[in-house]
């Protein structure tokens, strides 16, 4: 439940803030939640993880390295935790992935990998 509240706050910040520092802190919350999801999968709120990841991937405040790291973490989580994979398919991340591809051309291969996992 604490993780859910932290993710809700992080998601809100990623969607509304243009501060790099604020969004980087919110991204750390997401990173911690993804690690936890892989270690304690039964405690994860897959939808909340995916919505927050989507907000991170589309955040204009995060740089390519930060987005690349979160993308790797998110992809690993999607591959390892069935409830997150199901949630990712349910919320349709195509728009977020396409937006990230436009902003971060260097991530095309990593984004394509995630799309294949979701297919």
């Amino acid at each position: 439940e604490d993780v859910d509240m932290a993710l809700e706050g992080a998601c809100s910040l990623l969607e509304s803030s243009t501060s790099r520092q604020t969004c980087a802190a919110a991204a750390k919350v997401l990173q911690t939640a993804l690690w936890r999801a892989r270690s304690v999968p039964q405690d994860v709120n897959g939808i909340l993880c995916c919505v927050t990841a989507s907000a991170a991937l589309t955040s204009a405040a995060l740089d390519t390295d930060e987005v690349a790291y979160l993308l790797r973490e998110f992809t690993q989580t999607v591959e390892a935790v069935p409830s997150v994979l199901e949630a990712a398919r349910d919320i349709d991340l195509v728009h977020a992935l396409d937006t990230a591809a436009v902003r971060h051309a260097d991530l095309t291969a990593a984004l394509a990998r995630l799309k294949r996992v979701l297919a």
Side-chain angles (χ1 to χ4, degrees):
E1 198 170 291
D2 290 342
V3 174
D4 287 356
M5 286 176 42
L7 274 174
E8 286 173 10
C11 186
S12 178
L13 289 172
L14 286 162
E15 290 175 338
S16 64
S17 179
T18 56
S19 160
R20 191 198 163 298
Q21 202 168 24
T22 299
C23 287
K28 290 278 187 213
V29 171
L30 172 60
Q31 174 187 4
T32 302
L34 293 173
W35 287 340
R36 182 177 170 143
R38 291 194 304 266
S39 12
V40 193
Q42 65 274 17
D43 287 352
V44 69
N45 180 328
I47 294 285
L48 203 44
C49 276
C50 293
V51 169
T52 306
S54 176
L57 292 174
T58 58
S59 172
L62 296 176
D63 67 27
T64 297
D65 289 341
E66 291 165 320
V67 172
Y69 184 77
L70 287 171
L71 181 59
R72 276 192 305 275
E73 290 292 317
F74 182 62
T75 301
Q76 288 174 12
T77 305
V78 165
E79 290 172 331
V81 183
S83 64
V84 177
L85 173 60
E86 185 179 316
R89 287 177 172 155
D90 286 349
I91 69 163
D92 187 15
L93 289 170
V94 171
H95 173 71
L97 298 177
D98 289 346
T99 300
V102 169
R103 286 205 179 116
H104 308 285
D106 297 354
L107 302 182
T108 304
L111 290 162
R113 176 177 173 219
L114 179 56
K115 281 185 178 180
R116 282 192 302 278
V117 170
L118 297 175

